[in-house]
Amino acid sequence: MRHFLTSLRHNQLHHRCITPRIHFIFCANYKPQKPQPPPSPPSIPKPPKKPVTFTHHGESWEDPYSWMSQLNDKVAMRHMDVYMEQEEKYTEAVMSDTERLQSKLQSEMGSRLSNDLSTPPLRWGPWLYYRRVEEGKQYPVLCRRLAQANEDFISNKSPSAGFDFTSGKRIEQKLLDYNEEAEKFGGYAYEELSEVSPDHRYLAYTMYDKDNDYFKLSVRDLNFGSLCSQPQADRVSNIAWAKGGQALFYVVTDQCKRPYRIYCSMIGSEQDDVLLLEEPSENGYVNIRHTKDFQFVTVHVFSTTSSKIFLIDTAEPLSGMVPVWECEAQAQCILEHHQGYLYLFTDAAKDGQSVDHHYLLRSPVNCSLNRRKWDNIFSDDSEFIIEDVDFNDKHLVLILREGRNFRLCSISLPLPSVKEEIKLKELSPQFLPLPKNVSQIMPGPNYDYYSSTMRFTISSPLMPDAVVDYDLSSGKWNIVQQQNLLHERTKVLYGSSSSASFIQRPRNLGSNNEVNPENHPMWNDLSEFYACEVYDVTSYDGMIVPLTVVYSRRRKKQAENPGLLHGHGAYGEILDKRWRSELKSLLDRGWVVAYADVRGGGGGGKMWHHDGRRTKKINSISDYISCAKFLIEREIVQDNKLAGWGYSAGGLLVASAINFCPSLLRAAVLEVPFLDPANTLLNPILPLTPADYEEFGYPGDIDDFQAIRKYSPYDNIQKDILYPAILVTSSFNTRFGVWEAAKYVARVREYSVYDPKHPVLLNLTADIVEENRYLRCKESALETAFLIKMMES
């Protein structure tokens, strides 16, 4: 760089000496050019209209774009291909002036990606299991090595590929190369299930067969590296090991992707797999899982009207299923076994009365269904709500919520044999350290039932996800993996030699378990640079809605910052408020990123979810609008510079809010959104689940149908109104078909007032974008560039 600057300075001095001469030559040869006309705006795609009239519950409506969903009509699909190509070219033309910005954003986001895609080693029995990526390969390799010989295994790159140069021996065993699997499935490797047998002899896994649109089951013998002759099954949705690894249960789906059959296969046997259960009802579903100690496999049979749980003794997998639990209506039921007791974590109704949160029951394992009595373990405590549980041989771990704050505590097992309910504080809970602003705690695999160490992933809006191992016996904790964005690289901590330890003594319930990031910088907390605030927003009916706001401390200015408001509000799922490295590009440019925890989502109990579904879905939309107005009225975000972002069902939320208040948002990004619920729920082209109907409504019910028609984004686009700029992204491989996005885009353009500064764009992403982080980075750069362009236009 010094030589370049020196040369540049010399050239500047030289030019200064001969300036008059150059000016003379310039004037003599200069010919004024005619001003070039501005480039003509790109032509907007206009798909053909083929109106079709639908009638339901006495109400009729016309859909001119229903032909887009006629997948079996070859002519319609040819028209669809032409239309999609036009949309692709139109989006490229509109966004052409942001190519440099997109390149810069992609470079920024790419630099923040972890250089190492490998997973931290997970100890289970005598082995350390992990995935690592070989140089030049797209997909990882599943590996293991003996834990006893690798106590100081810090990085899976040292020794490289598990080769010990001192002894000259290979100390790593490759179990499955997903690059080789991709060759079998057309270059696409997506694994849904992967379970090592309890004896560590076999690996059962399912790979997505894209051509047939189902998951295919295979079992690999880890001693020889070869595939077992059976079981090899298609359309597999669930697996569970039995008989110490000699038998495998698996669930098969029907043509509508409904899990309805359970089979048992004896590994190495030449006999046919045994059908254990077939659920005949079209509304019935089955699910299986093994208990943590591998003594039982639980079978959950459920529908919208009932939930039943059966036990199978894994020592005798063909001995039959024993019923242990039954309740009316669909309920979440997770069953565990510990030293002769069954523990049931459920949200089923108590004594015929609906409950708002989960609770934990206990019953002796050796009881008949008629004589079985389930005792509630913990007395109702308004101070704490149990969000999740996990077990090992000596401890019960509870993920709690205290108001809006998450807590993590362990309780020694076995629990006392008392008939009355116990207060949590009477069990001397040991609260585990957490950073500030925790938004979610997710249990890890935790396969090793007899290990005192349990793994959790801690998420926060101000901190990259931290994978943490907690030793429940000693109170020590180790961050085994977390990205360090302060150095724009990945800090990966494996084992004990580079970990942070902290002795946590048992605390009273009222104490604060947050760890000061200044005292424990290993959390890689970013609160020095970014701030996180939570507000109480009053919705239209007086309900208080939590609004989380994140911004750069350096770039925050009153009423001068553009903003992005996230929302989801469906299925009772907690809104994803984790730190996302791609949002750093917006935060560093002065954007405010906000999260609206609207009704219909999680974090507020079952009633919070129910108050935003079916006929009450309008509450979710009103909550989102209230949060958007709050950001502007409080001058957290500049007026006319607020954008919306929604994924899947969140796309429905944001698109519906736009219909109700078109002038509220300046721009919106809708990722693979659900936009045409009336037609999709009435005539599903892709299989839907009972949860989908429970969430959005049954069209057969007139009240639900009228609510669907009222909130449907596609059916309520206002005419002759200026809409915000909208970018809709979709894919042919999505549960909500690409035709929904295409129909919505076409109708918004047709109805709304045209303004080139408010374009409506459709961007088709690659099917594998979710599995390829670099493609995901490219798509994020496009979305971010779109938002920046719209705010600056």
Side-chain angles (χ1 to χ4, degrees):
M1 180 64 74
R2 180 183 302 171
H3 296 294
F4 172 74
L5 291 175
T6 304
S7 174
L8 181 62
R9 195 175 299 114
H10 173 76
N11 289 336
Q12 288 174 336
L13 292 173
H14 179 68
H15 287 170
R16 193 176 298 132
C17 297
I18 60 173
T19 297
R21 183 181 177 186
I22 290 179
H23 178 70
F24 174 77
I25 297 174
F26 176 80
C27 294
N29 293 279
Y30 174 72
K31 293 181 180 180
Q33 297 182 355
K34 296 180 180 180
Q36 297 294 323
S40 58
S43 57
I44 301 176
K46 293 184 179 180
K49 294 183 182 181
K50 302 176 184 179
V52 177
T53 300
F54 297 91
T55 302
H56 194 65
H57 287 303
E59 181 178 343
S60 298
W61 67 95
E62 188 176 85
D63 186 356
Y65 302 113
S66 65
W67 63 266
M68 295 183 181
S69 61
Q70 304 303 312
L71 304 184
N72 296 323
D73 187 332
K74 294 182 179 180
V75 175
M77 289 302 97
R78 282 198 293 268
H79 282 302
M80 192 65 169
D81 288 340
V82 172
Y83 175 48
M84 291 296 98
E85 186 176 352
Q86 293 173 349
E87 289 288 356
E88 182 181 7
K89 291 180 179 178
Y90 179 66
T91 299
E92 289 179 356
V94 172
M95 296 297 294
S96 61
D97 60 341
T98 67
E99 289 181 358
R100 292 185 64 182
L101 175 59
Q102 289 185 55
S103 178
K104 178 176 174 55
L105 289 167
Q106 191 172 352
S107 177
E108 290 176 10
M109 297 173 183
S111 68
R112 301 183 196 118
L113 291 176
S114 168
N115 293 325
D116 189 356
L117 287 174
S118 305
T119 60
L122 177 69
R123 183 164 187 163
W124 181 19
W127 294 97
L128 291 170
Y129 289 90
Y130 55 94
R131 283 180 169 89
R132 64 175 179 81
V133 175
E134 297 178 329
E135 189 174 353
K137 299 289 184 68
Q138 180 177 358
Y139 296 103
V141 180
L142 177 62
C143 305
R144 72 179 178 186
R145 62 178 67 188
L146 286 171
Q148 185 177 6
N150 295 272
E151 290 290 348
D152 294 327
F153 177 34
I154 305 303
S155 168
N156 47 40
K157 290 184 177 180
S158 176
S160 176
F163 188 83
D164 187 348
F165 291 97
T166 303
S167 63
K169 296 180 180 180
R170 182 170 295 279
I171 57 177
E172 175 187 84
Q173 180 185 3
K174 285 186 180 181
L175 306 182
L176 186 62
D177 189 335
Y178 294 97
N179 298 283
E180 295 178 0
E181 294 295 314
E183 295 177 3
K184 302 176 186 177
F185 296 100
Y188 183 73
Y190 176 63
E191 175 192 77
E192 184 177 49
L193 305 171
S194 178
E195 297 284 348
V196 176
S197 61
D199 60 357
H200 304 274
R201 169 74 186 272
Y202 300 102
L203 170 68
Y205 62 100
T206 60
M207 300 297 298
Y208 182 61
D209 187 333
K210 188 177 178 182
D211 294 334
N212 296 301
D213 191 27
Y214 58 59
F215 286 91
K216 185 178 182 65
L217 170 67
S218 300
V219 177
R220 186 174 295 273
D221 188 328
L222 301 182
N223 285 355
F224 300 99
S226 58
L227 288 177
C228 299
S229 58
Q230 67 179 58
Q232 292 191 20
D234 299 332
R235 302 197 309 273
V236 173
S237 64
N238 235 192
I239 54 178
W241 285 103
K243 209 171 182 179
Q246 299 178 42
L248 180 70
F249 295 102
Y250 62 92
V251 177
V252 170
T253 65
D254 62 13
Q255 296 297 333
C256 294
K257 298 186 179 182
R258 177 180 68 94
Y260 78 120
R261 285 179 177 173
I262 301 177
Y263 288 90
C264 179
S265 176
M266 306 304 294
I267 306 299
S269 171
E270 296 181 357
Q271 298 178 355
D272 292 339
D273 297 345
V274 179
L275 176 63
L276 298 182
L277 174 70
E278 180 172 352
E279 173 57 40
S281 171
E282 293 183 357
N283 294 322
Y285 294 73
V286 298
N287 182 64
I288 61 174
R289 65 182 295 273
H290 64 78
T291 57
K292 297 290 291 288
D293 58 4
F294 282 100
Q295 291 194 30
F296 298 96
V297 167
T298 65
V299 179
H300 188 192
V301 182
F302 61 95
S303 67
T304 56
T305 58
S306 68
S307 290
K308 301 177 183 178
I309 297 183
F310 303 86
L311 275 188
I312 301 177
D313 188 342
T314 59
E316 299 291 338
L318 301 179
S319 61
M321 302 188 304
V322 179
V324 295
W325 167 266
E326 183 175 355
C327 68
E328 294 182 357
Q330 182 178 341
Q332 183 179 6
C333 302
I334 300 176
L335 194 68
E336 269 301 337
H337 173 256
H338 184 272
Q339 297 183 10
Y341 281 93
L342 297 176
Y343 290 83
L344 178 65
F345 185 62
T346 182
D347 61 354
K350 284 184 181 179
D351 302 323
Q353 298 294 320
S354 178
V355 297
D356 199 23
H357 302 286
H358 290 78
Y359 54 95
L360 193 61
L361 300 175
R362 180 174 64 171
S363 178
V365 67
N366 295 321
C367 287
S368 63
L369 179 62
N370 295 333
R371 301 183 59 185
R372 182 173 298 281
K373 183 177 182 296
W374 289 91
D375 296 319
N376 192 27
I377 296 178
F378 300 110
S379 60
D380 292 335
D381 192 336
S382 58
E383 188 176 357
F384 289 97
I385 294 170
I386 302 176
E387 293 286 350
D388 205 351
V389 298
D390 206 347
F391 283 83
N392 66 14
D393 184 38
K394 298 290 179 60
H395 296 90
L396 165 66
V397 177
L398 303 176
I399 298 176
L400 306 172
R401 186 163 50 82
E402 181 184 13
R404 293 173 187 163
N405 299 319
F406 283 92
R407 309 284 295 273
L408 186 63
C409 77
S410 67
I411 299 170
S412 297
L413 291 176
L415 295 178
S417 299
V418 293
K419 294 184 179 180
E420 296 182 356
E421 297 174 354
I422 311 168
K423 289 188 176 293
L424 182 59
K425 63 181 180 181
E426 296 175 1
L427 297 174
S428 301
Q430 175 172 294
F431 282 86
L432 304 173
L434 294 174
K436 294 182 178 180
N437 303 302
V438 172
S439 61
Q440 197 169 1
I441 302 175
M442 294 172 287
N446 296 326
Y447 285 114
D448 201 333
Y449 180 68
Y450 298 100
S451 171
S452 64
T453 299
M454 298 186 74
R455 179 168 293 178
F456 296 85
T457 299
I458 313 299
S459 300
S460 163
L462 294 185
M463 181 189 78
D465 282 0
V467 180
V468 187
D469 280 351
Y470 293 96
D471 189 325
L472 305 180
S473 297
S474 66
K476 293 183 179 180
W477 58 286
N478 302 319
I479 300 178
V480 295
Q481 188 175 55
Q482 187 185 26
Q483 188 177 9
N484 186 349
L485 287 176
L486 299 181
H487 297 90
E488 298 290 346
R489 62 179 177 83
T490 300
K491 175 185 277 188
V492 183
L493 309 171
Y494 293 126
S496 59
S497 62
S498 59
S499 60
S501 296
F502 183 78
I503 303 299
Q504 178 73 6
R505 297 177 180 177
R507 298 183 175 186
N508 297 326
L509 282 177
S511 63
N512 182 7
N513 69 316
E514 291 180 347
V515 176
N516 189 336
E518 296 179 359
N519 298 332
H520 301 278
M522 297 298 291
W523 287 108
N524 287 328
D525 188 281
L526 302 172
S527 56
E528 179 183 351
F529 308 96
Y530 306 98
C532 178
E533 299 172 355
V534 180
Y535 296 90
D536 290 332
V537 177
T538 303
S539 192
Y540 78 105
D541 57 354
M543 187 64 69
I544 301 300
V545 181
L547 176 65
T548 304
V549 176
V550 181
Y551 58 88
S552 168
R553 295 184 185 276
R554 183 172 59 90
R555 301 295 300 272
K556 181 70 171 68
K557 296 180 181 179
Q558 192 77 2
E560 294 185 15
N561 296 79
L564 181 64
L565 180 60
H566 291 248
H568 188 256
Y571 300 106
E573 296 175 356
I574 294 178
L575 179 62
D576 186 2
K577 298 190 286 285
R578 295 176 299 167
W579 172 268
R580 288 166 47 198
S581 60
E582 61 265 28
L583 291 179
K584 187 175 186 295
S585 293
L586 286 177
L587 291 170
D588 291 346
R589 285 172 170 81
W591 282 61
V592 171
V593 178
Y595 303 88
D597 278 299
V598 304
R599 279 171 282 185
K606 185 186 290 187
M607 294 308 299
W608 187 261
H609 171 214
H610 288 185
D611 210 22
R613 67 187 182 105
R614 297 183 70 167
T615 58
K616 297 182 179 180
K617 179 59 68 176
I618 193 70
N619 286 339
S620 302
I621 302 163
S622 299
D623 291 350
Y624 185 86
I625 293 172
S626 297
C627 289
K629 291 180 177 178
F630 181 90
L631 290 171
I632 295 172
E633 291 169 358
R634 288 293 187 93
E635 297 187 334
I636 299 171
V637 172
Q638 184 176 347
D639 188 17
N640 197 32
K641 284 205 171 183
L642 178 63
W645 190 94
Y647 172 82
S648 190
L652 179 146
L653 173 72
V654 177
S656 297
I658 291 173
N659 285 340
F660 280 93
C661 294
S663 62
L664 186 60
L665 301 177
R666 177 75 168 268
V669 174
L670 312 177
E671 282 197 6
V672 290
F674 185 28
L675 298 170
D676 188 17
N679 290 307
T680 297
L681 295 170
L682 194 59
N683 301 297
I685 297 170
L686 299 176
L688 299 176
T689 67
D692 296 322
Y693 291 107
E694 281 292 318
E695 185 62 39
F696 301 106
Y698 290 86
D701 183 288
I702 188 169
D703 293 332
D704 279 4
F705 173 74
Q706 290 175 349
I708 293 168
R709 291 282 296 162
K710 186 176 181 180
Y711 72 71
S712 169
Y714 181 66
D715 296 309
N716 292 281
I717 298 167
Q718 296 193 38
K719 294 184 178 181
D720 302 324
I721 296 292
L722 179 63
Y723 263 51
I726 303 174
L727 172 62
V728 184
T729 70
S730 189
S731 166
F732 285 102
N733 186 30
T734 175
R735 200 157 64 94
F736 301 127
V738 67
W739 53 87
E740 290 202 15
K743 291 169 63 176
Y744 172 81
V745 166
R747 179 166 278 187
V748 171
R749 290 181 186 145
E750 178 188 354
Y751 282 5
S752 63
V753 173
Y754 171 74
D755 184 345
K757 294 183 178 181
H758 289 220
V760 179
L761 308 178
L762 175 60
N763 179 52
L764 285 184
T765 63
D767 289 345
I768 60 173
V769 67
E770 292 296 333
E771 312 309 319
N772 188 312
R773 61 188 191 143
Y774 294 105
L775 282 179
R776 178 63 191 162
C777 186
K778 181 179 180 181
E779 298 301 330
S780 296
L782 172 65
E783 295 174 9
T784 305
F786 169 79
L787 292 171
I788 294 174
K789 172 183 170 70
M790 294 307 110
M791 292 303 168
E792 295 178 351
S793 63

